[in-house]
Amino acid sequence: MKITVIGTGYVGLVSAACLAEVGNDVLCLDMDPVKIKLLEDGGLPIFEPGLQDMVRRNVTAGRLHFTTDLEKAAHFGTIMFIAVGTPPDEDGSADMQYVIAAARNIGKYMTDYKVVVDKSTVPVGTADAVKAAIAEELALRGVDTPFSVVSNPEFLKEGAAIDDFMRPGRIVIGSDDEQATLNMRALYAPFQRHHDRLIVMDVRSAELTKYAANAMLATRISFMNELANLAEKLGADIEQVRKGIGSDPRIGYDFLYAGAGYGGSCFPKDVKALIKTAATDAGMEMRVLSAVEAANNAQKHVLGSKIKARFGKDLTGKHFALWGLAFKANTDDIREATSHAVIHDLLAAGATLTAYDPVAMHEAQRCYPNEPRLTYADNQTAALQGADALVIVTEWKEFKSPDFPTIKAALKSPVIFDGRNLYEPKLVRGMGFEYLAIGR
């Protein structure tokens, strides 16, 4: 198939590369010429394991192309994915200007039948707005070219996106048009050879499914974090509690790990957007999700509170090693990351920091360009030198089995604040560390 993907951000680029990988001819459109030049030269604007090799392989094979030409992109694909950003507005709602602009550009230049696919995470009713925008542009041209609009929300985990796309657990298609549904079934056939994973539903239900999925996962995380805070006060171990409740098949083990709060480009934004959609479009208060959001915002400051409880509210003269800046492992994404709250809390109390992250330091340097009290180390061991304590924020694999004697020798005091519960408390405390984790 010939496919156009509008937007070369995280979702757009992963989708384009994976669709090209199975033999499709894919053209990526982005209005940022610097980003397109970077992609054409074999670079990537994001970090995702395995993506660079896949992009280069399909560019070399002639199946993956990049352009800034709107008209060329509109003429190219029969299936046109809209995968542009939907950042949160000041009121928490999703900013739809880029989605609608993409739709209008399709309407301005299309000359034959198109299946327009909303791949971006968008509020319920977006497909109707996209359809109206395209129809309006066609009317201005005085033409009646047929098209369909479907919803196909993405369920990609940063750090495992290629595997999620190539081996999907489910493929949700929101479609009210039989021809469009047939096209989407054909498109996704190579990704579900063993059994049918494609779920077809009405468009609005598909749009809500994406928000509902992320809101449910965020709810599980915030619930476990609150339970961890309670366990700590009651003298219980949240890891033992997790095993106890996770063994119930009605609950399961996924997304039951307590920590220092969730972040990233999806959960915080989508929870806010669903709360706003409910209030604006349905006059409803989402009480559970409002609590989830409040609990998560508070959880991001738990590490800072533990550090100040141990070293005092005034941290002037104290220096801390920070392991991890990304919101999770295997990504360079620091949007809404807990590291921001930790950095803010410690700097505000007068401390200095040396941070290390395997891939996200360049993003942090961009966010904190003029902060002399925040420095960066070339490796995790270098970050420890002269620090009063180690603070772990991201669960990178290389942090999971460190050289504890080296850590102890490098620190001024053998204190570890673990925001991701990476270690067994008895083991670490047995080596002479003061170990402060979450709910342990």
mmCIF file of all heavy atoms in Angstrom, residues 263-310:
data_model
loop_
_atom_site.group_PDB
_atom_site.id
_atom_site.type_symbol
_atom_site.label_atom_id
_atom_site.label_comp_id
_atom_site.label_asym_id
_atom_site.label_seq_id
_atom_site.Cartn_x
_atom_site.Cartn_y
_atom_site.Cartn_z
ATOM 1 N N GLY A 263 5.081 9.797 34.556
ATOM 2 C CA GLY A 263 5.317 10.994 33.754
ATOM 3 C C GLY A 263 5.199 10.651 32.295
ATOM 4 O O GLY A 263 4.459 9.745 31.912
ATOM 5 N N GLY A 264 5.931 11.377 31.450
ATOM 6 C CA GLY A 264 5.900 11.110 30.019
ATOM 7 C C GLY A 264 4.915 11.973 29.268
ATOM 8 O O GLY A 264 4.264 12.857 29.828
ATOM 9 N N SER A 265 4.787 11.664 27.992
ATOM 10 C CA SER A 265 3.947 12.483 27.111
ATOM 11 C C SER A 265 2.510 12.008 27.058
ATOM 12 O O SER A 265 1.677 12.664 26.435
ATOM 13 C CB SER A 265 4.536 12.465 25.693
ATOM 14 O OG SER A 265 4.517 11.140 25.171
ATOM 15 N N CYS A 266 2.186 10.878 27.691
ATOM 16 C CA CYS A 266 0.848 10.292 27.531
ATOM 17 C C CYS A 266 -0.004 10.370 28.792
ATOM 18 O O CYS A 266 -1.037 11.048 28.811
ATOM 19 C CB CYS A 266 0.969 8.838 27.072
ATOM 20 S SG CYS A 266 1.644 8.657 25.416
ATOM 21 N N PHE A 267 0.387 9.667 29.846
ATOM 22 C CA PHE A 267 -0.488 9.559 31.013
ATOM 23 C C PHE A 267 -0.897 10.916 31.586
ATOM 24 O O PHE A 267 -2.095 11.166 31.771
ATOM 25 C CB PHE A 267 0.175 8.707 32.098
ATOM 26 C CG PHE A 267 0.225 7.230 31.804
ATOM 27 C CD1 PHE A 267 -0.172 6.731 30.570
ATOM 28 C CD2 PHE A 267 0.672 6.327 32.743
ATOM 29 C CE1 PHE A 267 -0.117 5.377 30.279
ATOM 30 C CE2 PHE A 267 0.730 4.961 32.469
ATOM 31 C CZ PHE A 267 0.334 4.495 31.227
ATOM 32 N N PRO A 268 0.054 11.821 31.907
ATOM 33 C CA PRO A 268 -0.377 13.109 32.488
ATOM 34 C C PRO A 268 -1.292 13.886 31.548
ATOM 35 O O PRO A 268 -2.330 14.424 31.972
ATOM 36 C CB PRO A 268 0.944 13.851 32.717
ATOM 37 C CG PRO A 268 1.979 12.777 32.800
ATOM 38 C CD PRO A 268 1.518 11.720 31.838
ATOM 39 N N LYS A 269 -0.918 13.933 30.276
ATOM 40 C CA LYS A 269 -1.708 14.693 29.294
ATOM 41 C C LYS A 269 -3.096 14.088 29.093
ATOM 42 O O LYS A 269 -4.098 14.812 29.043
ATOM 43 C CB LYS A 269 -0.950 14.730 27.963
ATOM 44 C CG LYS A 269 -1.716 15.357 26.803
ATOM 45 C CD LYS A 269 -0.842 15.473 25.566
ATOM 46 C CE LYS A 269 -0.553 14.139 24.919
ATOM 47 N NZ LYS A 269 -1.725 13.569 24.230
ATOM 48 N N ASP A 270 -3.154 12.760 28.994
ATOM 49 C CA ASP A 270 -4.427 12.117 28.690
ATOM 50 C C ASP A 270 -5.379 12.136 29.875
ATOM 51 O O ASP A 270 -6.601 12.250 29.701
ATOM 52 C CB ASP A 270 -4.180 10.684 28.218
ATOM 53 C CG ASP A 270 -3.465 10.638 26.876
ATOM 54 O OD1 ASP A 270 -3.308 11.702 26.253
ATOM 55 O OD2 ASP A 270 -3.062 9.543 26.444
ATOM 56 N N VAL A 271 -4.850 12.015 31.091
ATOM 57 C CA VAL A 271 -5.699 12.127 32.273
ATOM 58 C C VAL A 271 -6.300 13.527 32.346
ATOM 59 O O VAL A 271 -7.509 13.699 32.571
ATOM 60 C CB VAL A 271 -4.909 11.791 33.553
ATOM 61 C CG1 VAL A 271 -5.690 12.188 34.808
ATOM 62 C CG2 VAL A 271 -4.582 10.302 33.606
ATOM 63 N N LYS A 272 -5.462 14.553 32.128
ATOM 64 C CA LYS A 272 -5.958 15.932 32.123
ATOM 65 C C LYS A 272 -7.030 16.128 31.051
ATOM 66 O O LYS A 272 -8.071 16.751 31.291
ATOM 67 C CB LYS A 272 -4.810 16.914 31.858
ATOM 68 C CG LYS A 272 -3.861 17.161 33.004
ATOM 69 C CD LYS A 272 -2.789 18.148 32.579
ATOM 70 C CE LYS A 272 -1.736 18.342 33.652
ATOM 71 N NZ LYS A 272 -2.291 19.014 34.849
ATOM 72 N N ALA A 273 -6.762 15.609 29.853
ATOM 73 C CA ALA A 273 -7.685 15.806 28.734
ATOM 74 C C ALA A 273 -9.020 15.124 28.979
ATOM 75 O O ALA A 273 -10.081 15.665 28.630
ATOM 76 C CB ALA A 273 -7.055 15.292 27.439
ATOM 77 N N LEU A 274 -8.995 13.938 29.584
ATOM 78 C CA LEU A 274 -10.248 13.230 29.845
ATOM 79 C C LEU A 274 -11.057 13.941 30.924
ATOM 80 O O LEU A 274 -12.291 14.033 30.822
ATOM 81 C CB LEU A 274 -9.950 11.787 30.264
ATOM 82 C CG LEU A 274 -11.136 10.816 30.277
ATOM 83 C CD1 LEU A 274 -11.914 10.860 28.968
ATOM 84 C CD2 LEU A 274 -10.659 9.400 30.573
ATOM 85 N N ILE A 275 -10.383 14.459 31.936
ATOM 86 C CA ILE A 275 -11.078 15.254 32.960
ATOM 87 C C ILE A 275 -11.725 16.479 32.326
ATOM 88 O O ILE A 275 -12.889 16.809 32.596
ATOM 89 C CB ILE A 275 -10.085 15.680 34.066
ATOM 90 C CG1 ILE A 275 -9.620 14.461 34.870
ATOM 91 C CG2 ILE A 275 -10.713 16.720 34.989
ATOM 92 C CD1 ILE A 275 -8.475 14.753 35.820
ATOM 93 N N LYS A 276 -10.966 17.146 31.444
ATOM 94 C CA LYS A 276 -11.478 18.347 30.784
ATOM 95 C C LYS A 276 -12.619 18.021 29.821
ATOM 96 O O LYS A 276 -13.626 18.735 29.771
ATOM 97 C CB LYS A 276 -10.332 19.036 30.031
ATOM 98 C CG LYS A 276 -10.731 20.336 29.326
ATOM 99 C CD LYS A 276 -11.169 21.387 30.323
ATOM 100 C CE LYS A 276 -11.517 22.697 29.609
ATOM 101 N NZ LYS A 276 -11.995 23.717 30.558
ATOM 102 N N THR A 277 -12.485 16.944 29.055
ATOM 103 C CA THR A 277 -13.541 16.536 28.125
ATOM 104 C C THR A 277 -14.835 16.259 28.874
ATOM 105 O O THR A 277 -15.926 16.675 28.447
ATOM 106 C CB THR A 277 -13.107 15.274 27.346
ATOM 107 O OG1 THR A 277 -12.006 15.616 26.505
ATOM 108 C CG2 THR A 277 -14.242 14.755 26.480
ATOM 109 N N ALA A 278 -14.726 15.553 29.989
ATOM 110 C CA ALA A 278 -15.914 15.227 30.778
ATOM 111 C C ALA A 278 -16.597 16.496 31.281
ATOM 112 O O ALA A 278 -17.826 16.618 31.231
ATOM 113 C CB ALA A 278 -15.538 14.332 31.950
ATOM 114 N N ALA A 279 -15.804 17.448 31.749
ATOM 115 C CA ALA A 279 -16.363 18.687 32.294
ATOM 116 C C ALA A 279 -16.990 19.551 31.207
ATOM 117 O O ALA A 279 -18.106 20.070 31.360
ATOM 118 C CB ALA A 279 -15.277 19.463 33.028
ATOM 119 N N THR A 280 -16.264 19.669 30.077
ATOM 120 C CA THR A 280 -16.706 20.582 29.019
ATOM 121 C C THR A 280 -17.821 20.003 28.163
ATOM 122 O O THR A 280 -18.813 20.680 27.869
ATOM 123 C CB THR A 280 -15.505 20.946 28.116
ATOM 124 O OG1 THR A 280 -14.471 21.520 28.920
ATOM 125 C CG2 THR A 280 -15.918 21.955 27.051
ATOM 126 N N ASP A 281 -17.661 18.749 27.759
ATOM 127 C CA ASP A 281 -18.598 18.159 26.795
ATOM 128 C C ASP A 281 -19.751 17.411 27.436
ATOM 129 O O ASP A 281 -20.768 17.160 26.777
ATOM 130 C CB ASP A 281 -17.851 17.195 25.859
ATOM 131 C CG ASP A 281 -16.801 17.909 25.021
ATOM 132 O OD1 ASP A 281 -16.812 19.148 25.004
ATOM 133 O OD2 ASP A 281 -15.959 17.226 24.412
ATOM 134 N N ALA A 282 -19.586 17.005 28.707
ATOM 135 C CA ALA A 282 -20.636 16.198 29.333
ATOM 136 C C ALA A 282 -21.102 16.751 30.670
ATOM 137 O O ALA A 282 -22.030 16.198 31.272
ATOM 138 C CB ALA A 282 -20.138 14.762 29.524
ATOM 139 N N GLY A 283 -20.484 17.837 31.145
ATOM 140 C CA GLY A 283 -20.891 18.407 32.420
ATOM 141 C C GLY A 283 -20.666 17.467 33.594
ATOM 142 O O GLY A 283 -21.387 17.513 34.593
ATOM 143 N N MET A 284 -19.642 16.601 33.468
ATOM 144 C CA MET A 284 -19.355 15.605 34.494
ATOM 145 C C MET A 284 -18.048 15.901 35.209
ATOM 146 O O MET A 284 -17.100 16.381 34.599
ATOM 147 C CB MET A 284 -19.241 14.204 33.871
ATOM 148 C CG MET A 284 -20.537 13.504 33.600
ATOM 149 S SD MET A 284 -20.183 11.838 32.942
ATOM 150 C CE MET A 284 -19.235 11.130 34.310
ATOM 151 N N GLU A 285 -18.022 15.586 36.496
ATOM 152 C CA GLU A 285 -16.773 15.646 37.237
ATOM 153 C C GLU A 285 -16.219 14.231 37.341
ATOM 154 O O GLU A 285 -16.897 13.323 37.823
ATOM 155 C CB GLU A 285 -16.999 16.202 38.643
ATOM 156 C CG GLU A 285 -15.736 16.265 39.475
ATOM 157 C CD GLU A 285 -15.983 16.658 40.922
ATOM 158 O OE1 GLU A 285 -17.150 16.950 41.270
ATOM 159 O OE2 GLU A 285 -15.007 16.649 41.696
ATOM 160 N N MET A 286 -14.985 14.034 36.870
ATOM 161 C CA MET A 286 -14.332 12.724 36.952
ATOM 162 C C MET A 286 -13.602 12.650 38.292
ATOM 163 O O MET A 286 -12.410 12.955 38.399
ATOM 164 C CB MET A 286 -13.370 12.533 35.781
ATOM 165 C CG MET A 286 -14.026 12.635 34.412
ATOM 166 S SD MET A 286 -15.171 11.282 34.074
ATOM 167 C CE MET A 286 -14.043 9.968 33.644
ATOM 168 N N ARG A 287 -14.319 12.213 39.329
ATOM 169 C CA ARG A 287 -13.773 12.271 40.683
ATOM 170 C C ARG A 287 -12.566 11.354 40.852
ATOM 171 O O ARG A 287 -11.573 11.718 41.478
ATOM 172 C CB ARG A 287 -14.863 11.895 41.685
ATOM 173 C CG ARG A 287 -16.047 12.862 41.708
ATOM 174 C CD ARG A 287 -17.057 12.470 42.764
ATOM 175 N NE ARG A 287 -18.229 13.328 42.733
ATOM 176 C CZ ARG A 287 -19.316 13.073 42.019
ATOM 177 N NH1 ARG A 287 -19.362 11.980 41.267
ATOM 178 N NH2 ARG A 287 -20.344 13.886 42.025
ATOM 179 N N VAL A 288 -12.658 10.150 40.304
ATOM 180 C CA VAL A 288 -11.552 9.202 40.457
ATOM 181 C C VAL A 288 -10.301 9.721 39.751
ATOM 182 O O VAL A 288 -9.204 9.726 40.309
ATOM 183 C CB VAL A 288 -11.941 7.809 39.909
ATOM 184 C CG1 VAL A 288 -10.726 6.891 39.867
ATOM 185 C CG2 VAL A 288 -13.032 7.193 40.770
ATOM 186 N N LEU A 289 -10.461 10.201 38.505
ATOM 187 C CA LEU A 289 -9.297 10.668 37.758
ATOM 188 C C LEU A 289 -8.712 11.944 38.358
ATOM 189 O O LEU A 289 -7.501 12.152 38.315
ATOM 190 C CB LEU A 289 -9.661 10.899 36.293
ATOM 191 C CG LEU A 289 -9.820 9.637 35.449
ATOM 192 C CD1 LEU A 289 -9.995 9.999 33.983
ATOM 193 C CD2 LEU A 289 -8.631 8.706 35.610
ATOM 194 N N SER A 290 -9.552 12.785 38.922
ATOM 195 C CA SER A 290 -9.035 13.981 39.591
ATOM 196 C C SER A 290 -8.161 13.581 40.781
ATOM 197 O O SER A 290 -7.112 14.190 41.032
ATOM 198 C CB SER A 290 -10.198 14.872 40.053
ATOM 199 O OG SER A 290 -10.923 15.369 38.939
ATOM 200 N N ALA A 291 -8.586 12.536 41.487
ATOM 201 C CA ALA A 291 -7.784 12.034 42.610
ATOM 202 C C ALA A 291 -6.489 11.389 42.121
ATOM 203 O O ALA A 291 -5.438 11.536 42.747
ATOM 204 C CB ALA A 291 -8.609 11.039 43.423
ATOM 205 N N VAL A 292 -6.572 10.672 40.996
ATOM 206 C CA VAL A 292 -5.378 10.052 40.404
ATOM 207 C C VAL A 292 -4.341 11.119 40.075
ATOM 208 O O VAL A 292 -3.148 10.975 40.383
ATOM 209 C CB VAL A 292 -5.761 9.263 39.132
ATOM 210 C CG1 VAL A 292 -4.519 8.888 38.326
ATOM 211 C CG2 VAL A 292 -6.558 8.010 39.498
ATOM 212 N N GLU A 293 -4.794 12.189 39.452
ATOM 213 C CA GLU A 293 -3.894 13.275 39.076
ATOM 214 C C GLU A 293 -3.284 13.939 40.306
ATOM 215 O O GLU A 293 -2.069 14.179 40.364
ATOM 216 C CB GLU A 293 -4.658 14.305 38.242
ATOM 217 C CG GLU A 293 -3.778 15.443 37.735
ATOM 218 C CD GLU A 293 -4.559 16.430 36.885
ATOM 219 O OE1 GLU A 293 -5.707 16.760 37.239
ATOM 220 O OE2 GLU A 293 -4.010 16.875 35.862
ATOM 221 N N ALA A 294 -4.121 14.219 41.314
ATOM 222 C CA ALA A 294 -3.620 14.863 42.530
ATOM 223 C C ALA A 294 -2.624 13.969 43.253
ATOM 224 O O ALA A 294 -1.585 14.446 43.752
ATOM 225 C CB ALA A 294 -4.798 15.218 43.441
ATOM 226 N N ALA A 295 -2.931 12.670 43.316
ATOM 227 C CA ALA A 295 -2.028 11.732 43.988
ATOM 228 C C ALA A 295 -0.682 11.667 43.270
ATOM 229 O O ALA A 295 0.379 11.615 43.915
ATOM 230 C CB ALA A 295 -2.662 10.345 44.053
ATOM 231 N N ASN A 296 -0.713 11.675 41.945
ATOM 232 C CA ASN A 296 0.543 11.601 41.194
ATOM 233 C C ASN A 296 1.367 12.865 41.348
ATOM 234 O O ASN A 296 2.594 12.802 41.487
ATOM 235 C CB ASN A 296 0.255 11.350 39.713
ATOM 236 C CG ASN A 296 1.522 11.071 38.935
ATOM 237 O OD1 ASN A 296 2.230 10.106 39.192
ATOM 238 N ND2 ASN A 296 1.831 11.947 37.984
ATOM 239 N N ASN A 297 0.703 14.011 41.322
ATOM 240 C CA ASN A 297 1.438 15.272 41.501
ATOM 241 C C ASN A 297 2.139 15.292 42.858
ATOM 242 O O ASN A 297 3.279 15.764 42.977
ATOM 243 C CB ASN A 297 0.484 16.457 41.361
ATOM 244 C CG ASN A 297 0.012 16.656 39.934
ATOM 245 O OD1 ASN A 297 0.648 16.191 38.986
ATOM 246 N ND2 ASN A 297 -1.112 17.331 39.758
ATOM 247 N N ALA A 298 1.459 14.771 43.877
ATOM 248 C CA ALA A 298 2.069 14.721 45.210
ATOM 249 C C ALA A 298 3.199 13.699 45.265
ATOM 250 O O ALA A 298 4.232 13.937 45.908
ATOM 251 C CB ALA A 298 0.998 14.386 46.245
ATOM 252 N N GLN A 299 3.016 12.577 44.582
ATOM 253 C CA GLN A 299 4.010 11.499 44.637
ATOM 254 C C GLN A 299 5.359 11.929 44.063
ATOM 255 O O GLN A 299 6.410 11.450 44.502
ATOM 256 C CB GLN A 299 3.489 10.271 43.886
ATOM 257 C CG GLN A 299 4.266 8.996 44.162
ATOM 258 C CD GLN A 299 4.059 8.484 45.587
ATOM 259 O OE1 GLN A 299 3.127 8.900 46.281
ATOM 260 N NE2 GLN A 299 4.924 7.585 46.028
ATOM 261 N N LYS A 300 5.328 12.815 43.092
ATOM 262 C CA LYS A 300 6.583 13.277 42.484
ATOM 263 C C LYS A 300 7.473 14.027 43.473
ATOM 264 O O LYS A 300 8.671 14.185 43.239
ATOM 265 C CB LYS A 300 6.283 14.161 41.273
ATOM 266 C CG LYS A 300 5.704 13.402 40.090
ATOM 267 C CD LYS A 300 5.451 14.325 38.906
ATOM 268 C CE LYS A 300 4.952 13.541 37.704
ATOM 269 N NZ LYS A 300 4.720 14.403 36.531
ATOM 270 N N HIS A 301 6.881 14.486 44.570
ATOM 271 C CA HIS A 301 7.656 15.238 45.569
ATOM 272 C C HIS A 301 8.039 14.377 46.773
ATOM 273 O O HIS A 301 8.643 14.893 47.723
ATOM 274 C CB HIS A 301 6.854 16.458 46.026
ATOM 275 C CG HIS A 301 6.605 17.451 44.923
ATOM 276 N ND1 HIS A 301 7.553 18.352 44.494
ATOM 277 C CD2 HIS A 301 5.518 17.639 44.139
ATOM 278 C CE1 HIS A 301 7.053 19.078 43.495
ATOM 279 N NE2 HIS A 301 5.829 18.662 43.255
ATOM 280 N N VAL A 302 7.689 13.091 46.746
ATOM 281 C CA VAL A 302 7.997 12.215 47.873
ATOM 282 C C VAL A 302 9.503 12.088 48.086
ATOM 283 O O VAL A 302 9.982 12.121 49.230
ATOM 284 C CB VAL A 302 7.346 10.823 47.678
ATOM 285 C CG1 VAL A 302 7.952 9.795 48.616
ATOM 286 C CG2 VAL A 302 5.846 10.909 47.910
ATOM 287 N N LEU A 303 10.262 11.933 47.005
ATOM 288 C CA LEU A 303 11.713 11.826 47.154
ATOM 289 C C LEU A 303 12.302 13.083 47.792
ATOM 290 O O LEU A 303 13.138 13.004 48.698
ATOM 291 C CB LEU A 303 12.371 11.563 45.800
ATOM 292 C CG LEU A 303 12.332 10.125 45.286
ATOM 293 C CD1 LEU A 303 12.912 10.064 43.874
ATOM 294 C CD2 LEU A 303 13.116 9.192 46.216
ATOM 295 N N GLY A 304 11.881 14.245 47.310
ATOM 296 C CA GLY A 304 12.365 15.494 47.888
ATOM 297 C C GLY A 304 12.039 15.597 49.368
ATOM 298 O O GLY A 304 12.871 16.033 50.178
ATOM 299 N N SER A 305 10.832 15.158 49.736
ATOM 300 C CA SER A 305 10.425 15.202 51.145
ATOM 301 C C SER A 305 11.267 14.250 51.992
ATOM 302 O O SER A 305 11.667 14.586 53.117
ATOM 303 C CB SER A 305 8.944 14.833 51.263
ATOM 304 O OG SER A 305 8.133 15.780 50.602
ATOM 305 N N LYS A 306 11.556 13.059 51.463
ATOM 306 C CA LYS A 306 12.382 12.096 52.199
ATOM 307 C C LYS A 306 13.799 12.637 52.406
ATOM 308 O O LYS A 306 14.389 12.469 53.484
ATOM 309 C CB LYS A 306 12.444 10.770 51.429
ATOM 310 C CG LYS A 306 11.176 9.920 51.491
ATOM 311 C CD LYS A 306 11.331 8.681 50.639
ATOM 312 C CE LYS A 306 10.109 7.774 50.717
ATOM 313 N NZ LYS A 306 9.981 7.089 52.024
ATOM 314 N N ILE A 307 14.318 13.273 51.364
ATOM 315 C CA ILE A 307 15.682 13.818 51.452
ATOM 316 C C ILE A 307 15.749 14.928 52.496
ATOM 317 O O ILE A 307 16.664 14.976 53.323
ATOM 318 C CB ILE A 307 16.137 14.318 50.067
ATOM 319 C CG1 ILE A 307 16.312 13.127 49.118
ATOM 320 C CG2 ILE A 307 17.440 15.114 50.172
ATOM 321 C CD1 ILE A 307 16.415 13.504 47.661
ATOM 322 N N LYS A 308 14.741 15.807 52.489
ATOM 323 C CA LYS A 308 14.738 16.910 53.464
ATOM 324 C C LYS A 308 14.465 16.405 54.883
ATOM 325 O O LYS A 308 14.960 16.974 55.856
ATOM 326 C CB LYS A 308 13.724 17.974 53.041
ATOM 327 C CG LYS A 308 14.218 18.820 51.862
ATOM 328 C CD LYS A 308 13.283 19.947 51.495
ATOM 329 C CE LYS A 308 12.170 19.466 50.594
ATOM 330 N NZ LYS A 308 11.360 20.593 50.051
ATOM 331 N N ALA A 309 13.688 15.327 54.994
ATOM 332 C CA ALA A 309 13.465 14.748 56.319
ATOM 333 C C ALA A 309 14.752 14.158 56.879
ATOM 334 O O ALA A 309 14.990 14.175 58.094
ATOM 335 C CB ALA A 309 12.384 13.666 56.236
ATOM 336 N N ARG A 310 15.605 13.662 56.002
ATOM 337 C CA ARG A 310 16.870 13.033 56.434
ATOM 338 C C ARG A 310 17.979 14.064 56.663
ATOM 339 O O ARG A 310 18.732 13.975 57.634
ATOM 340 C CB ARG A 310 17.306 12.007 55.385
ATOM 341 C CG ARG A 310 18.713 11.453 55.528
ATOM 342 C CD ARG A 310 18.929 10.708 56.837
ATOM 343 N NE ARG A 310 20.263 10.116 56.907
ATOM 344 C CZ ARG A 310 21.390 10.782 57.166
ATOM 345 N NH1 ARG A 310 21.340 12.099 57.385
ATOM 346 N NH2 ARG A 310 22.555 10.157 57.214
#
